[in-house]
Amino acid sequence: MRHHRAFALLIALLILLLSGAALAQAQPLSLPKVQMSVGGGEGDWVGALRVMALLTILTLAPSILLTMTSFTRIVIVLSFMRQALGTQQSPPNQVLVALALFLSVFIMQPVWSKVHTDALAPFMAGEINQTVALERAQEPVRAFMFKHTRQKDLGLFIRAAGAQRPKTRADVSTWQLIPAFIISELRTAFQMGFMLYVPFLVMDMVVASILMAMGMMMLPPILISLPFKIMLFVLVDGWNLLVTSLIESFQ
């Protein structure tokens, strides 16, 4: 019985193959044709250049976010906060980065609004060219970076570039301003991180002293102090205080 079923199945497959081959001979398979051409009027080239400019901006967006906004300070302070608590990977990196990202968007919102109003919207409307749009877009971003850059850090890169001492802010190159801004942000972030570490360090020292006095030297102090640090952080509404301090540090 099994042999008959196998033989019948084999015959059915052969019929399907033969019918498919006959259908292919009767109706040959045709592939769709794709044609590519380069040309067009001046408007087409302008549109293509705008698309290329947009793609370039999207490619550089992560670098711009990390170097020319408040993201650097925020993510470093949040990392210090996690280390001071001693919670290892809680909150996870994804949560800290997402919080730092949205806080950066909130803090930089006035700057981006001015960039959109003065540069992006007129450029998309065809009222100004690309050069003027870039110059207008730099002004609010440079003003933000100048506000949070130390003169000492800025002077370092001006001297390293061999440039003359600028008389006004307009004489300072953006490529000199960006690394100076990053160094200033790192310094401010580490200062805030130190202030965050102090109360938790004192608590660790107190717990270590108590354990030593009780003769429990083999018990890690952080294992005992961790619940108390978390409880203290929750009782004082630590996340609210931390985010408030971060926002006010940019005002």
Side-chain angles (χ1 to χ4, degrees), residues 104-151:
S104 300
V105 172
F106 176 79
I107 292 172
M108 299 296 296
Q109 192 272 334
V111 177
W112 300 137
S113 296
K114 190 170 181 60
V115 170
H116 180 270
T117 303
D118 298 343
L120 184 58
F123 174 72
M124 298 302 294
E127 300 175 359
I128 58 177
N129 56 28
Q130 184 177 358
T131 304
V132 177
L134 290 176
E135 292 177 355
R136 291 186 181 182
Q138 288 182 8
E139 294 178 0
V141 179
R142 283 169 57 91
F144 173 81
M145 289 192 292
F146 271 118
K147 183 179 179 180
H148 301 285
T149 302
R150 295 193 309 163
Q151 297 295 329

Side-chain angles (χ1 to χ4, degrees), residues 78-93:
L78 293 177
S79 299
F80 270 116
M81 185 73 257
R82 185 177 62 183
Q83 294 178 7
L85 281 172
T87 53
Q88 301 299 326
Q89 295 298 323
S90 182
N93 291 330

Side-chain angles (χ1 to χ4, degrees), residues 47-59:
L49 291 176
R50 288 184 178 180
V51 172
M52 292 178 61
L54 179 60
L55 292 177
T56 303
I57 293 175
L58 292 177
T59 304

